Amino acid sequence: MASWDDVARTCLALPATSEGTMRGWRQWLVRDKGFVWERPLGKKDTAELGDDAPTGPVVAAYVPDEGAKQALISEEPDVYFTTSHFDGYPIVLCRLEELDQQALTELAAEAWACRAPRRVLAEHPLRPA
């Protein structure tokens, strides 16, 4: 079970990363480009998800493409999900309390790699998990 402190520690361990806020919510950025952020559900999201709407904290993260997003959701629907707000975007939502440290580390690293500038990626290639 991950916490926001775990998210911060995991994201900030990645090169060229900083923490900020957006609309009062925490976000983690690589060279000023957000890659992981706190994403509370709004009324529309909750209504759309119905009984499947999580009651705990939600984290959003970039993924390489829509296929990767759908694969995560299909493989672990208790952890990963989306809403129509993110249709067409390579972003997945996650039930923070359902992420273990390994999944969080992989999610953050992949999101970081999706958003990091080429020069940062070249200077700091991620090692396979």
Side-chain angles (χ1 to χ4, degrees):
M1 178 170 138
S3 68
W4 288 117
D5 288 340
D6 295 327
V7 175
R9 185 173 44 259
T10 301
C11 289
L12 292 172
L14 295 164
T17 299
S18 61
E19 183 175 337
T21 58
M22 173 181 61
R23 299 182 185 150
W25 304 326
R26 293 170 83 176
Q27 67 173 340
W28 292 270
L29 308 100
V30 54
R31 296 283 163 92
D32 298 325
K33 291 175 77 176
F35 64 98
V36 170
W37 63 98
E38 183 179 0
R39 178 40 165 89
L41 297 179
K43 290 178 185 177
K44 182 179 176 187
D45 299 322
T46 303
E48 178 183 328
L49 294 168
D51 292 340
D52 292 332
T55 57
V58 174
V59 62
Y62 273 88
V63 292
D65 54 42
E66 281 277 319
K69 174 169 81 173
Q70 293 308 320
L72 285 170
I73 293 167
S74 294
E75 291 170 16
E76 295 185 75
D78 292 342
V79 179
Y80 303 101
F81 67 102
T82 191
T83 65
S84 60
H85 179 79
F86 293 102
D87 285 352
Y89 294 97
I91 296 167
V92 70
L93 301 175
C94 315
R95 293 166 177 84
L96 181 59
E97 296 168 341
E98 297 298 323
L99 285 175
D100 61 26
Q101 187 57 52
Q102 181 178 346
L104 173 59
T105 300
E106 291 171 5
L107 181 73
E110 185 170 69
W112 178 89
C114 290
R115 301 288 284 169
R118 288 184 190 150
R119 180 175 288 189
V120 173
L121 283 171
E123 293 170 358
H124 305 281
L126 291 179
R127 291 173 180 74

